[in-house]
Amino acid sequence: MAETIFKNNKDHLVKSAGTEPVAGVRVSAKLISRADMIFVMEKRHRQRLNENLQDEMENKDVVILDIADDYSYMDEALIEIIKTSVTPYL
């Protein structure tokens, strides 16, 4: 969803991927290796990345947004929370 929200940002290339096996696009070593900064909604997302992609996660900046991962895709409230939480980093 963050990719959809920020896709028109001219200064940053934004990619989204999930940590769950059922995610439409799963996070991969390639995505992590290309990332300058990684945003996750919850601590458990960072834990999964560290467990599954340990080598790639070394020395990566990870921002935990502390947003419960229980919203529907493109939920208006979540869009505003993500914009408010991520924009200062951009």
Side-chain angles (χ1 to χ4, degrees), residues 59-72:
N59 299 317
K60 289 292 181 175
D61 289 325
V62 179
V63 176
I64 302 170
L65 299 174
D66 288 321
I67 301 170
D69 191 12
D70 59 3
Y71 290 87
S72 299

Side-chain angles (χ1 to χ4, degrees), residues 2-69:
E3 182 175 356
T4 301
I5 295 169
F6 294 105
K7 69 181 174 185
N8 294 321
N9 184 300
K10 293 173 179 39
D11 297 322
H12 304 283
L13 175 62
V14 179
K15 295 287 183 187
S16 292
T19 60
E20 295 284 341
V22 297
V25 176
R26 280 215 51 205
V27 68
S28 66
K30 184 177 180 179
L31 284 174
I32 295 296
S33 67
R34 291 182 173 181
D36 294 320
M37 182 172 280
I38 299 166
F39 294 90
V40 296
M41 291 177 67
E42 298 179 335
K43 290 178 185 178
R44 68 185 170 111
H45 297 145
R46 183 185 62 185
Q47 289 170 329
R48 283 190 198 125
L49 293 175
N50 287 337
E51 290 168 3
N52 298 327
L53 299 160
Q54 184 176 2
D55 292 340
E56 291 81 2
M57 289 297 293
E58 192 170 322
N59 299 317
K60 289 292 181 175
D61 289 325
V62 179
V63 176
I64 302 170
L65 299 174
D66 288 321
I67 301 170
D69 191 12

